[in-house]
Amino acid sequence: MELLTTQVAIIGAGPAGLLLGQLLYKAGIEHIIIEQRSAEYVASRIRAGILEQVSVDLLKQAGVDQHLKEKGLPHSGIEILTNGQKHRVDLSALTGGKQVTVYGQTEVTKDLMMAREAAQLKSFYEAQNVQVSDFYQTPKVHFEYQGKSIQIECDFIAGCDGYHGICRASVPQDKIKTYEKVYPFGWLGVLADVPPVADELIYVQSERGFALCSMRSETRSRYYLQVPLNDRVEDWSDERFWEELKSRLDAESQKKLVTGPSIEKSIAPLRSFVTEPMRFGKLFLAGDAAHIVPPTGAKGLNLAASDIAYLSSALIEYYVEGSDQGIQEYSEKCLQRVWKAERFSWWMTHLLHRFEIESEFEHKIKQAELSYILGSTAGKTTLAENYVGLPIHA
Ligand code: FAS
Ligand code: PHB
């Protein structure tokens, strides 16, 4: 067995793990990333598309925002389409000038991976049988790599290994509590090299179900349809997808919609999920390893980023200033922001999706709520300030 030591072992090379690695590197803190998939697989995943200013600022702090500055699309508003009418929510006017940036998670991951490679930082991709242990005393990570058995002894473990990872699963049951809500539908997503139907995102609430018109650039679009949970991707030809999307759009958007062959098509389940606490001795959970939101509020990637903002500053404070205050406060600080984003994501999902079990009265109440929100400055302000992202420091 090969024995290694480091200060921080990071499990997972998704956005959370890679961003933490880059911030620790900039602060001169030794760390190693252990990832079960290949670098090619990680770099190819198609997921989120919207960055809050908090995430943009973090990527700048990490020194990886060059492409983001060149290719990111600042957006100051979103449209909500209901009853065939589009209503613009002027995010900037309602939040004192804040914006979101359209920039794919795939690009964020590639930017972080390129920076990591350029700095020649230690990463184990395609690590097998990863295990974490002894994280209340002397944390250890054990795994197989290219046929060799490797053990890392470290000061801390950052569990950035996503919803299906092993870090949360390694915590004793009597030390952890989870909260979960599973939604009775999924999102069928399509990526296509066609110009977006509009300059800004359109969130659609229709009798046939939710739809979202998003984008990755001025020539690449990302669309989603609410579909039943038991639908499979093979049930959806490109033609059927475009026809169903059109049927949920308003007349103007139907005319403007440019269709074309899908370059990616997948169905993602929707759930709300939170782990409490997010620290177990010297093991921290961050990102999807600790929480999941339905993508309706565009919060998943951004919550991972804010967890990493808290965790990186806590670890830097520990090693540079010798204080463990940030470490002690990590879980509570994250959960304050996590639960507010969970509420907003649940609320947007509840408001904009068709629930089969909904009574006619409940459906009418939801219509009235959406009509109030879109007709009220106070209502649109609450939507806008949550959508652009709540402050990271209270
Ligand atoms: P990730 O899941 O991205 O990364 C975890 C990493 O850990 C992975 O690379 C995994 O291979 C690795 N890992 C797992 N187990 C391991 C082990 N035992 N050992 C070593 N490594 C291990 N968010 C939005 O804001 N908008 C969206 O539209 C959106 N769409 C999504 C669609 C899908 C299908 C999914 C799954 C998520 C989507 N999300 C969306 C949320 C998503 O963007 C996450 O919030 C984001 O990837 C979180 O990043 P991480 O916490 O790094 O977790
Ligand atoms: C996306 O572009 O993938 C996207 C945008 C906004 C959302 C969810 C997904 O709310």
Side-chain angles (χ1 to χ4, degrees), residues 47-50 187 201 203 212 214-216 222 224 295-298 387:
R47 287 189 177 167
I50 298 292
W187 275 23
L201 272 63
Y203 287 80
L212 172 58
S214 183
M215 61 194 78
R216 289 293 176 270
R222 179 73 167 158
Y224 295 96
T296 326
Y387 192 86

Side-chain angles (χ1 to χ4, degrees), residues 3 22 80 96 127 129 134 189 224 235-236 239 244 250 258 263 288 316 369 373:
L3 294 177
Q22 196 59 22
I80 294 188
N129 306 319
D134 207 2
Y224 295 96
D235 300 335
W236 286 88
E239 188 186 3
E244 182 56 36
D250 59 301
V258 178
I263 53 179
D288 277 19
I316 292 167
E369 182 177 8
I373 291 292

Side-chain angles (χ1 to χ4, degrees), residues 316-336:
I316 292 167
E317 179 193 71
Y318 175 81
Y319 283 111
V320 175
E321 298 167 28
S323 158
D324 74 344
Q325 184 179 349
I327 285 173
Q328 299 298 335
E329 294 173 352
Y330 169 74
S331 179
E332 184 46 40
K333 266 188 177 176
C334 287
L335 287 167
Q336 278 293 322

Side-chain angles (χ1 to χ4, degrees), residues 154-175:
C154 50
D155 299 334
F156 300 103
I157 299 173
C160 302
D161 50 347
Y163 180 70
H164 300 288
I166 47 102
C167 288
R168 186 180 72 247
S170 303
V171 175
Q173 281 309 303
D174 63 337
K175 303 271 190 198

Side-chain angles (χ1 to χ4, degrees), residues 10-19 33-38 41-43 45-51 105 109 124-131 141 143 159-167 187 212 214 216 222 224 264 266-269 286-305 307-308:
I10 300 174
I11 315 296
L18 289 167
L19 181 55
I33 288 186
I34 301 99
E35 164 61 50
Q36 68 174 2
R37 296 285 191 163
S38 70
Y41 181 90
V42 171
R45 277 194 295 236
I46 311 272
R47 287 189 177 167
I50 298 292
L51 297 180
Q105 175 174 327
T109 304
F124 290 98
Y125 283 95
E126 298 181 81
Q128 301 304 312
N129 306 319
V130 180
Q131 292 167 17
V141 181
F143 56 96
C160 302
D161 50 347
Y163 180 70
H164 300 288
I166 47 102
C167 288
W187 275 23
L212 172 58
S214 183
R216 289 293 176 270
R222 179 73 167 158
Y224 295 96
E264 193 269 353
S266 55
I267 294 180
D288 277 19
H291 42 70
I292 297 285
V293 284
T296 326
K299 292 296 158 217
L301 176 56
N302 293 298
L303 273 183
D307 289 349
I308 295 305

